[in-house]
Amino acid sequence: MDGLVEFKTEDGVRVVVEGVEDEDGARLVSRGDGPARAARTFEDSLDGVRAAAASALRVFRDGTLRPDAVELEFGVKLSAEAGAVIAKGSAEGHLVVRLSWSPEPSPTRPEFPDAAALS
């Protein structure tokens, strides 16, 4: 199991998460018995993921597809040094995108039939 990393929110609230190993396999070491302390706030650590999500939404909302809804799913790992990292869920990375469109009601067929049509 990876070590614990302590983040502070901008409001000063303590958030402790399970940290991740870096690419070299190095592990965080804390001073004393507590978790390692992150250098950045929790919100600052998530800035890169927020920017990635906003960029991905622009790609899928703009252009010719024009979906009614876009759902993005990122796996996120937190590191004391790097902040939030988009987690690898397969050999290449982890990003799930769901696009959906609502069917448009036909002008010749009402969306809800009236009572006379049912009798």
Side-chain angles (χ1 to χ4, degrees):
M1 177 166 76
D2 293 326
L4 298 178
V5 179
E6 178 182 316
F7 291 87
K8 293 279 187 178
T9 67
E10 290 174 354
D11 297 335
V13 177
R14 180 177 172 234
V15 178
V16 178
V17 298
E18 185 177 354
V20 296
E21 291 182 10
D22 67 14
E23 298 81 32
D24 299 328
R27 298 179 77 89
L28 291 171
V29 178
S30 65
R31 293 185 182 135
D33 295 331
R37 290 197 179 126
R40 301 185 315 177
T41 66
F42 188 69
E43 292 87 350
D44 287 343
S45 296
L46 293 171
D47 278 345
V49 175
R50 179 181 20 220
S55 182
L57 282 174
R58 275 193 305 277
V59 167
F60 292 109
R61 283 184 177 158
D62 297 344
T64 59
L65 291 177
R66 304 256 185 232
D68 293 323
V70 177
E71 181 180 331
L72 300 174
E73 179 182 319
F74 289 91
V76 177
K77 292 183 179 180
L78 294 166
S79 161
E81 292 85 19
V85 178
I86 296 175
K88 189 170 20 173
S90 67
E92 297 299 319
H94 182 77
L95 171 63
V96 175
V97 179
R98 289 183 186 87
L99 307 176
S100 62
W101 292 265
S102 300
E104 295 182 26
S106 168
T108 59
R109 183 178 57 90
E111 191 171 354
F112 299 105
D114 61 5
L118 295 176
S119 32

